[in-house]
Amino acid sequence: SRLQSVSDYDALYQDSIENNERFWSDLAKEKLHWFRPFDQVLEWHEPFAKWFVGGKTNASYNCLDRHIAAGRGDRVALLFEGEPGDRREITYAELHRDVCKLANGLKKLGIVAGDRVSIYMPMTPELIVAMLACARIGAVHS
């Protein structure tokens, strides 16, 4: 953790309240990859809020590709412990491979950005693959 104490957390929390838009803008720019930078952090018309207006990012890319590009492809991305004693370590590169395979399979089935995909699976690594595959192609998963 980058926070060393409760007082560090309290200061960060207070900053998030007092300087809300700058706080989230700084974090988004520092921690996420953007294919197109956002023009506005928050567009608020009660009760509707739009975050990072004009920006384009991809959750699957941020969870996988950017880590591989940074040389972390062989590091563990997902550590699964199931029952009874089932344990799997999946690297960023392995997870990326499986996500891309499923994303391509979904596209072959005609799923496109904006489509909705319902996933009914147990809490296994394959569920994460399915969710990230949907995000990769812009499909909304439920």
Side-chain angles (χ1 to χ4, degrees):
S1 170
R2 67 186 182 106
L3 301 176
Q4 301 301 313
S5 67
V6 173
S7 63
D8 286 350
Y9 172 81
D10 290 339
L12 186 68
Y13 177 70
Q14 195 60 39
D15 186 38
S16 75
I17 293 170
E18 293 172 4
N19 305 295
N20 187 274
E21 289 189 36
R22 185 208 33 84
F23 176 85
W24 288 110
S25 176
D26 289 351
L27 274 178
K29 289 175 183 173
E30 177 187 343
K31 302 292 185 185
L32 299 175
H33 173 272
W34 293 88
F35 294 101
R36 182 176 54 240
F38 51 90
D39 304 312
Q40 184 179 351
V41 177
L42 175 63
E43 182 180 290
W44 178 254
H45 301 288
E46 282 192 53
F48 303 104
K50 291 183 183 178
W51 285 93
F52 308 115
V53 179
K56 183 175 181 180
T57 190
N58 184 283
S60 183
Y61 185 94
N62 275 290
C63 289
L64 301 171
D65 304 62
R66 71 183 187 95
H67 295 288
I68 294 168
R72 295 186 289 269
D74 61 343
R75 290 194 184 169
V76 174
L78 186 60
L79 175 59
F80 172 76
E81 292 192 24
E83 296 178 31
D86 181 22
R87 179 183 164 91
R88 292 163 57 191
E89 290 184 2
I90 303 167
T91 66
Y92 285 103
E94 292 166 336
L95 190 56
H96 180 264
R97 179 199 63 221
D98 292 346
V99 166
C100 288
K101 279 178 160 179
L102 183 55
N104 286 327
L106 291 171
K107 289 194 295 189
K108 278 180 118 175
L109 291 172
I111 305 297
V112 296
D115 282 353
R116 294 137 192 94
V117 176
S118 183
I119 303 170
Y120 185 69
M121 296 176 70
M123 293 293 287
T124 63
E126 290 76 19
L127 173 63
I128 303 303
V129 169
M131 292 168 64
L132 289 171
C134 288
R136 188 167 222 45
I137 62 173
V140 178
H141 69 271
S142 170

